[in-house]
Amino acid sequence: MNDVGPDPRSVELERRLGRATAKALATVGVRTVAELLRHFPRRYAEPGRFTLLDGLRLGEHVTVLARVDRTTVRPTRSGGHIVNAVITDGRHELVLTFFTPGGGRGKGLARFFEQRFAPGKVGLFTGTVNRYRGEMQLTHPDAKFFGEDLDDGVSVLDEAARPIPIYPAGAKISSWKIQTAIETILGSTRDEELVEPLPEDVRERHGLLGIGEALRAVHQPMTFDEVEAAQRRFRFEEAFVLQTALVRRRAIAEDWVATPREPHETGLRAAFDARLPFELTAGQRVVGQEIAADLVRTRPMQRLLQGEVGSGKTVVALRAMTQVVDAGGQAALLAPTEVLAAQHARSLEALLGPLAHAGELDAPERATRVVLLTGSQGSAARREALAQVADGTAGIVVGTHALLSESVEFADLGLVVVDEQHRFGVEQRDALRERSERVPHLLVMTATPIPRTVAMTVFGDLAISTLSELPAGRSEVDTHVVPASKEAWVERTWERVAQAARDGGRAYVVCARISGDTPEDDAAPDDDGELAFASPRPPLRAVEDVAAELRAMPRLAGVEVETLHGKMSAADKARAMARFASGEAPVLVATTVVEVGVDVPEATLMVVLDADRFGISQLHQLRGRIGRGTLPGTCLLVSHAPPDTPAAARLEALARTRDGFELAEVDLELRREGDVLGAAQSGARSSLRLLRVTRDVEILTKAREEAERVVAAGAALAEFPDLRRAVAELSPEHEQYLERT
Ligand code: ADP
Ligand code: MG
């Protein structure tokens, strides 16, 4: 016995296909029969299109229909042989070449090729066109001969017109070998043995092929219509399994128990509403009612609130928090960073005014306390904060996500509000469940508008509320693209910065990096790894360098320039933000840490250097930092992107519109699918294989409806063992978690 045993998962594959084939298949990631059957063709070659031998191009992967005209064998200097078979379509010829090694085995192999490629035989030849001594040829092509490899029962013409599956293959295993392996398995498997995640009535309602039929159609199609029908089925299946997982997750959460938090007519909430200096927008009112209704249920709210930057989500969240405080509970607000947590705490206190002063002289009867709890607090301050959280004095607790993972004791945590959903994953949501018998209500907020299908795919387990309008009187923000190559334009940009400082405004200067000698750091944009430039571009500008440059500029003499980035200590960050906010340092050179939440109403100008390196949503977020006060804002995107590149298209879209949903759609079109989901996905869920959220809107919608129906019949999916299995395979850890609850 070998000391390294065989992969236990591939035992079945080995038994049915042999050790060598199973091993070769493992090199392309296929270890089980199920994985093999779901190793779908990457594409299909159309034999009809490739039969013309005069249209061949170097490097092209082709399949030609031809007859062998003549075959020669000649020895090589190294003792092996070269077999040449000349094939013809009647007008043009092409050489097929096979090399064999020296020795007896090589000789046998040469004879084998000579016989297999004997003159007169007709077949399909597949390979990549290469050139040898000026002549096109195929080296070691795959061949399928009529009457030998191709089924005699089918007419040769039909056979020749069949789409030829081309599989994702590797150095150890060709597409042709994979095809043969799948044929072997399919030929010896009965339909009843196959896992069928799609219930029969679902298939009937949507005219979908059964699993056996679909597998045969995708692997051994007679026509392209069959391929399409099979692909539709598998896409639907993927959408359906995914949606079932999400709907099921939500259904299971429905069994969780929460404390209902009834509104109080003369409580904090009413007092807060009375002191609001503005009217709520219609959207804020509607969403407010949705949330208020969720909070009085005995099941925990699981809601996503999405709304443009500045659409007033904080007010909506605060109203929900006051409802919970009125009912005797506490609310926690989680921010992605300590800077943002501190800022949130300040703005909640400002919005509440004396209503946040419980225990102080000026406090009205219904007041509460807002408490900030962060890791960087001094131990005395932290001890006091912890005590107020534990005894319930603090109605509203603000911190980072660490609030939930640390052993912070709440008197009665009733609501968790999470700012910026993208950084709050499935696991964190699950952690809430594990805190206590009573699960707090959950409201997650995102300022990144998400196209409907993406929302359904990624956040399908949450109810969704949307704030689509901005409060009236919001200032305009003009956006312009500044080509980095035009020096005069860039100069003018710095003049604008100086102007803003002179006028009592504030200017952000955003850079992709912190310092010149950190080539990759956490401030680098994460969603555009691929650059569309053929020529090298200048290095990215860095916060420290740019700040030094600005400080040395005569036109900025006397203007204080601050910096802000992720490597600074929390205290330094807070100090820099405070100096910027107060106007002491009206210019802030920063990384994308200013992306989320930072609120300085006097900021009217934003310059983004290397803007072509940022994604649409990131720039949209950044831009949301200006135009928050009464003065109109200007956003200048300094770009190295050549025209007609995706990066240029992104910036043009930003200059054209401020509508986040429109930008999200543009983004979806310009970016690769995986990026869209990757950026939006928070859990470990595997990405989509066949589905495209841009293309398959209808499938996703229908699959969602069917998933709701199936889960309504019982979240345990007892009647659908195959579906249950498919759901469990989708995200194993997550499912284990659900089983435990
Ligand atoms: P978001 O969190 O959605 O980016 P905020 O809640 O921070 O937006 O609101 C942005 C600004 O708009 C805040 O200064 C807030 O006080 C103000 N605001 C919120 N709702 C309204 C409204 N209905 N009318 C006028 N101003 C509003
Ligand atoms: Mg906000």
Side-chain angles (χ1 to χ4, degrees), residues 261 321 324-325 328-335 368-374 382 385-417 431-432 434-441:
R261 309 288 178 173
M321 293 191 252
V324 170
V325 171
Q330 290 167 296
L333 173 60
L334 309 188
T368 186
R369 286 196 84 83
V370 176
V371 163
L372 176 68
L373 197 58
T374 65
R382 187 173 165 79
L386 280 170
Q388 294 190 1
V389 176
D391 69 15
T393 317
I396 295 174
V397 186
V398 186
T400 64
H401 299 165
L403 254 193
L404 294 185
S405 48
E406 285 167 7
S407 53
V408 176
E409 287 268 353
F410 284 83
D412 179 11
L413 180 58
L415 169 66
V416 173
V417 178
L432 281 184
E434 293 188 327
R435 287 185 66 88
S436 68
E437 284 294 294
R438 296 287 174 114
V439 182
H441 296 282

Side-chain angles (χ1 to χ4, degrees), residues 246-258 294 297-303 433 439 441 461-463 708 711-712 715 738 741:
L246 293 166
V247 173
R248 178 168 179 257
R249 192 184 155 75
R250 193 159 91 189
I252 287 172
E254 292 266 297
D255 289 339
W256 296 351
V257 180
D294 280 356
R297 301 200 316 164
T298 52
R299 296 180 277 237
M301 169 167 74
Q302 301 268 299
R303 189 171 285 280
R433 167 73 183 80
V439 182
H441 296 282
D461 59 331
L462 301 177
E708 304 263 7
V711 173
L738 288 185
T741 61

